[in-house]
Amino acid sequence: MAYRPEELAGARPWKLAAFTTYALSLSFFESIVLDRLVRGRTQEALILADAEGVRAALSEQGAQRVGRDYEVEPVAMTGGVFHPKVSFFHDGSEAHLLVGSGNLTFSGWGRNLELVEHLHPSFAGDAFEDAAEFFDALASQPTAAHGAQDRCLQIAARLRGAASVGTKNGSFRLLHSLGQRIGDRIEELADGLGGATRLAAAAPFWDGGQAVTTLCRALKLERAHVHAHPHGAVQGSVGDCWPRNAEIEIVPVEASEFANERRPLHAKAFEIECRRGRIVVSGSANGTRAALYGGNVEACVARIQLEPTASWMLEPSSALPPLPPREDEGESDECANRGVLRADVAGDTVSGRVLSPLIHGDAVLSKVSVDGVARLCDVTLQPDGSFRALVPGLEAQALRGGRLVVRVTSKDGEAEGFASLSAVTGLRRIAGKAASSLFAILSGTETPEDVRVLMEWAHNNAVMLARSSAAGARKVPVVADRPSPLAKSDLWNAAAPDTKPGSGQEGGDPGWMRFLDALVHALRERRGPLGRDEHEDGSEVKKPANGNTNKEDPAAVAARILDDVINLLLPSGASSTSALRALDLAAYACDRLGDVVSREKAMSWLKRSVGAILADGVPPERMADVASAAMALSGTRPDREEARSARERILRVGIPLKGEPPDVVFAKPFLERMYEEGDYLEAWETVRDVTTWREQARRYVDALYAGSPGDGYDELLAKVPHEAGVLEAGLKSENARKRIVVLQKWSSTCCSMRLPKLEETKLRQYGVARAVNCSQKALIWPKASDGEERA
């Protein structure tokens, strides 16, 4: 079960991938590790990093996915550094631990010589239990300031669950410095195997020899064998590459485990041969007092072998010479003195805490981006460095962009850090594997595969889409006859955890609903067709000579799924909220999927959505969009009857016909898929010039009540020749007027008898019919029934 770390990252759709590190490169993480996690549909990724590592990562402007596809939590230590390198992958049933020496950087996962232990509960249950204790302790460690207490406890619970079904035979233990020093744990393990007989060590950093002296004396040894790496050690900012001032004998050797590697040494390992076995300790601990006996937070794996079959082969060597002074480009004094903070944004509220240095009092809160520093508001830093402020619109703005970095500046200093968005955090936990695709759609970087995922997600969450409060939509009850899988969706559970489907009650996570608002608005943006001949990672699809590919086009799959989504959102009597969601999804699909959407599909989606919206009523804030869609139904070259239908729909939307035409932008994707290339303004003029049959019926009734002929209803009379004579006579004679019945409300009966089907259809379409099976009177209905027309 040997994986490279990056291979393990993409091996499964992990529910959680958590990392601890000292140094941090976000550009590395996003390009190598996160790419694997996203393609593997990992739900949640968390990095716990030393505050100094986070401070350095803040300058990587190319890394834009922090706070969206993953979270970074800085850990500020008192009296040491946060130095463990632990990776934990968990999918609910399967769990893996990686414990090693490599930081979350290009060098740590490739350029340097590193050592990583891959642990699984099937053989290392004890180590998983130890790791659970480590995260439990980190949640309450007084010398470690961070904001990930709850997350640490959640990780600990998952580790403990994995340990409970694992094998525990004492062969693998995770040693950490939260509670007991690493050096003391090594001494205990050696005593348990009858005492140490030899110590061999490899590490890039030493403190001069004090730590190895203390360890050897604790193990009752007079010498230590230290690996002198032929290709040198990595260069650090503190410490030496050799224990030059040790008070015990240092024997330079080349250890067979490392000697043939040409990369600079960054691995840390200690082999302790004992009278009844062997212990190999590897991980993050260097040969320094801070690591083995001091205030650093470290994590190492101890392999305990009662019957060792092999030990390190040691060949004589020479001590490593001192490294030349490190040539750093250096940071500006301003950056070097800047501290680190953590922050959360929930709605209009920004809350956070300065982790280092400890500053308090009046300060200014700013947003930092590639465009510079923008002042947000004044804040007051409490004695513990915490702050809270109202910044209207910040979350909505941040949801659409990349990372969000905030800075506080006071007379005592300044600090900056990444801000997490509660709406995004909730989304990753709720939407699971779909989260990364939804983020891509939000930012306009989606692929056809992301669109497919969106449609699957919409299908599985149609109930809550129909209920969402996005864009001020009215609260509406859920349709009771939805298929049961939809009622059990994650979105339902997140948005209304204390309600049941069909209750008609709103509730749940407002952060999630704010994200949904932003997503719905993103669907309305017009970005043009996606390139389809590429994989989801952006690489080109290699097409065989016959033009076929092994994988079905995700764009075509997305369009097919949308058919089912439209059916779910538009049952009989669908609310306008639900119909608007269907319209937005359909417009988005027509825009982004391009020619994959046929003319017939586009017309069907548009007709059904607009019809359902008009039947229930158009929310005022969406009148312009619906009017644009209503116009598109008749195309850009409507004949007189098509223009008449468009006019009737526009009147039902409620916008004035005398003004400018509704903006074509919203409906343009439909027109493009329907191959409508005419002049939109000319179409609007045609609609303005024509009159609907209902308008003509009203003009006729006005003339009838006035008792004299009028204008504007000649087309109607020509359309109903069998009734025209009676209607014309009614304008001239009182007796003839008695043969005309003006309906004040819809009725399909006369003299208690139902009208023949043909006459009922005429009455609905033209507003005029004849009671041919009873009184023979002409019926005229100038108004529409409730729910059918809103003029």
Side-chain angles (χ1 to χ4, degrees):
M1 201 184 302
Y3 288 94
R4 288 177 59 85
E6 64 272 20
E7 292 171 345
L8 183 58
R12 299 173 71 95
W14 304 110
K15 289 186 177 180
L16 171 69
F19 308 85
T20 67
T21 186
Y22 170 66
L24 176 62
S25 169
L26 294 185
S27 57
F28 160 75
F29 181 76
E30 291 190 7
S31 62
I32 304 298
V33 186
L34 184 64
D35 178 66
R36 301 268 183 146
L37 294 174
V38 169
R39 279 190 282 164
R41 298 299 177 188
T42 294
Q43 294 183 15
E44 183 179 358
L46 170 68
I47 300 173
L48 296 169
D50 186 80
E52 188 65 20
V54 174
R55 187 177 69 82
L58 285 164
S59 63
E60 295 182 90
Q61 293 294 341
Q64 290 293 312
R65 298 164 74 180
V66 58
R68 300 171 63 80
D69 289 328
Y70 65 100
E71 296 290 331
V72 173
E73 281 286 352
V75 181
M77 297 296 301
T78 302
V81 297
F82 185 71
H83 202 249
K85 292 89 165 118
V86 177
S87 302
F88 174 51
F89 301 92
H90 188 255
D91 73 351
S93 59
E94 187 78 1
H96 295 259
L97 266 177
L98 300 178
V99 182
S101 59
N103 288 298
L104 213 51
T105 63
F106 286 101
S107 296
W109 280 40
R111 293 174 184 166
N112 298 336
L113 172 56
E114 307 282 3
L115 196 157
V116 179
E117 290 276 8
H118 176 200
L119 303 178
H120 189 268
S122 61
F123 61 85
D126 296 296
F128 277 76
E129 187 68 41
D130 296 333
E133 293 175 0
F134 168 73
F135 281 99
D136 272 337
L138 182 59
S140 57
Q141 179 67 16
T143 61
H146 58 86
Q149 287 78 6
D150 291 342
R151 308 290 286 282
C152 287
L153 294 176
Q154 292 167 5
I155 293 171
R158 296 186 185 192
L159 283 161
R160 197 163 281 114
S164 67
V165 296
T167 298
K168 299 179 181 178
N169 56 20
S171 298
F172 295 87
R173 302 302 300 266
L174 187 140
L175 313 183
H176 62 83
S177 55
L178 295 177
Q180 189 175 6
R181 300 181 300 184
I182 299 289
D184 294 340
R185 290 294 308 278
I186 293 175
E187 179 185 353
E188 285 182 1
L189 293 175
D191 288 346
L193 294 182
T197 59
R198 189 185 83 171
L199 170 66
F205 303 120
W206 302 83
D207 58 4
Q210 297 91 335
V212 70
T213 297
T214 301
L215 181 60
C216 281
R217 286 174 175 171
L219 296 174
K220 299 180 176 59
L221 297 174
E222 296 180 352
R223 65 183 59 85
H225 299 78
V226 177
H227 173 64
H229 194 56
H231 298 281
V234 300
Q235 194 166 15
S237 56
V238 295
D240 194 354
C241 63
W242 194 261
R244 304 184 194 283
N245 301 315
E247 297 176 14
I248 46 92
E249 181 184 358
I250 300 297
V251 181
V253 297
E254 284 189 18
S256 58
E257 296 290 316
F258 309 104
N260 294 327
E261 285 287 347
R262 295 181 175 274
R263 290 172 290 181
L265 179 73
H266 191 253
K268 309 101 165 57
F270 300 82
E271 182 196 53
I272 304 97
E273 289 190 345
C274 301
R275 292 179 176 85
R276 296 198 302 273
R278 180 178 82 131
I279 305 164
V280 177
V281 176
S282 64
S284 66
N286 286 292
T288 64
R289 177 165 292 277
L292 298 176
Y293 295 100
N296 285 1
V297 176
E298 307 280 2
C300 300
V301 169
R303 286 177 173 257
I304 303 165
Q305 300 174 342
L306 299 180
E307 296 180 1
T309 58
S311 298
W312 292 357
M313 299 295 294
L314 306 179
E315 297 291 339
S317 185
S318 302
L320 292 178
L323 292 173
R326 183 172 178 175
E327 295 182 3
D328 291 329
E329 292 183 4
E331 296 179 291
S332 67
D333 292 339
E334 178 185 8
C335 293
N337 294 328
R338 185 175 297 139
V340 175
L341 61 81
R342 67 169 311 278
D344 294 292
V345 180
D348 293 336
T349 302
V350 182
S351 58
R353 179 186 174 191
V354 176
L355 301 178
S356 68
L358 187 58
I359 56 178
H360 58 85
D362 295 334
V364 173
L365 178 67
S366 303
K367 174 185 173 183
V368 183
S369 69
V370 292
D371 297 324
V373 180
R375 184 183 182 280
L376 296 176
C377 64
D378 294 328
V379 295
T380 299
L381 301 175
Q382 301 302 315
D384 64 350
S386 62
F387 60 90
R388 186 180 181 88
L390 290 177
V391 186
L394 180 61
E395 183 186 59
Q397 179 185 4
L399 280 171
R400 306 304 305 275
R403 66 184 191 171
L404 176 60
V405 176
V406 296
R407 177 186 296 175
V408 294
T409 305
S410 77
K411 59 181 179 59
D412 297 322
E414 65 179 11
E416 69 180 36
F418 300 110
S420 297
L421 308 179
S422 67
V424 169
T425 303
L427 169 73
R428 282 201 306 273
R429 296 176 183 175
I430 294 160
K433 64 182 183 180
S436 60
S437 292
L438 299 184
F439 284 132
I441 289 163
L442 198 65
S443 59
T445 59
E446 72 269 37
T447 66
E449 178 65 16
D450 293 319
V451 181
R452 182 194 66 78
V453 172
L454 166 70
M455 297 309 172
E456 286 185 347
W457 172 85
H459 180 276
N460 294 332
N461 295 285
V463 166
M464 286 312 299
L465 282 174
R467 290 170 52 91
S468 92
S469 61
R474 297 173 297 153
K475 296 180 181 179
V476 294
V478 175
V479 178
D481 60 352
R482 296 288 192 201
S484 60
L486 297 176
K488 297 177 182 178
S489 69
D490 288 337
L491 179 54
W492 171 270
N493 294 331
D498 299 322
T499 62
K500 297 180 179 179
S503 66
Q505 300 174 15
E506 300 290 336
D509 180 4
W512 165 255
M513 300 306 286
R514 291 194 302 272
F515 177 86
L516 187 57
D517 287 351
L519 180 64
V520 169
H521 283 291
L523 296 180
R524 298 176 199 155
E525 291 187 357
R526 299 297 166 250
R527 301 164 178 167
L530 293 164
R532 290 168 49 211
D533 294 333
E534 58 184 32
H535 293 293
E536 60 182 292
D537 62 356
S539 61
E540 183 181 354
V541 173
K542 301 298 184 183
K543 291 187 176 181
N546 61 8
N548 295 323
T549 57
N550 294 328
K551 185 178 179 182
E552 187 177 3
D553 184 358
V557 176
R560 188 168 63 246
I561 296 173
L562 181 54
D563 281 333
D564 296 331
V565 175
I566 297 290
N567 290 335
L568 289 168
L569 290 172
L570 298 179
S572 177
S575 71
S576 61
T577 306
S578 183
L580 282 164
R581 296 297 159 268
L583 180 65
D584 289 334
L585 285 167
Y588 171 81
C590 289
D591 180 47
R592 296 302 259 164
L593 300 183
D595 292 338
V596 168
V597 179
S598 67
R599 183 183 191 281
E600 291 71 24
K601 274 187 183 294
M603 176 63 80
S604 173
W605 294 341
L606 181 61
K607 185 175 182 179
R608 293 186 61 192
S609 301
V610 171
I613 295 167
L614 295 180
D616 190 50
V618 184
E621 68 279 356
R622 295 301 305 275
M623 281 183 172
D625 292 342
V626 177
S628 179
M631 276 288 295
L633 267 177
S634 295
T636 55
R637 294 187 178 127
D639 59 28
R640 194 163 183 82
E641 289 307 313
E642 290 170 338
R644 205 184 311 276
S645 296
R647 181 183 178 94
E648 184 171 359
R649 289 189 293 269
I650 295 296
L651 289 171
R652 293 171 70 178
V653 171
I655 70 169
L657 282 158
K658 294 180 180 179
E660 293 295 319
D663 194 332
V664 72
V665 170
F666 179 83
K668 189 174 182 180
F670 290 107
L671 294 171
E672 290 174 344
R673 300 288 73 77
M674 291 155 54
Y675 304 105
E676 294 286 348
E677 299 178 352
D679 192 312
Y680 184 73
L681 290 177
E682 287 183 8
W684 176 250
E685 291 301 323
T686 303
V687 170
R688 289 181 60 180
D689 291 342
V690 78
T691 53
T692 69
W693 301 121
R694 201 59 51 76
E695 286 179 298
Q696 293 189 43
R698 283 195 287 271
R699 292 178 183 178
Y700 171 83
V701 171
D702 290 341
L704 184 67
Y705 287 154
S708 63
D711 296 322
Y713 49 81
D714 292 342
E715 283 183 301
L716 177 62
L717 295 183
K719 201 70 178 178
V720 289
H722 295 294
E723 292 81 14
V726 175
L727 296 178
E728 289 177 335
L731 295 172
K732 303 172 183 177
S733 165
E734 185 69 30
N735 288 333
R737 197 173 300 143
K738 293 177 181 179
R739 297 179 59 199
I740 301 171
V741 177
V742 178
L743 300 177
Q744 300 302 317
K745 62 180 181 178
W746 168 257
S747 176
S748 60
T749 63
C750 182
C751 303
S752 300
M753 296 181 65
R754 188 176 184 108
L755 296 173
K757 194 67 177 178
L758 178 60
E759 297 302 321
E760 183 178 342
T761 300
K762 285 168 55 180
L763 188 61
R764 287 188 182 278
Q765 184 173 358
Y766 304 116
V768 177
R770 193 167 188 174
V772 296
N773 56 346
C774 56
S775 67
Q776 300 297 310
K777 291 182 178 181
L779 309 178
I780 185 162
W781 176 45
K783 297 182 180 179
S785 61
D786 244 6
E788 190 171 2
E789 179 178 302
R790 297 171 189 272

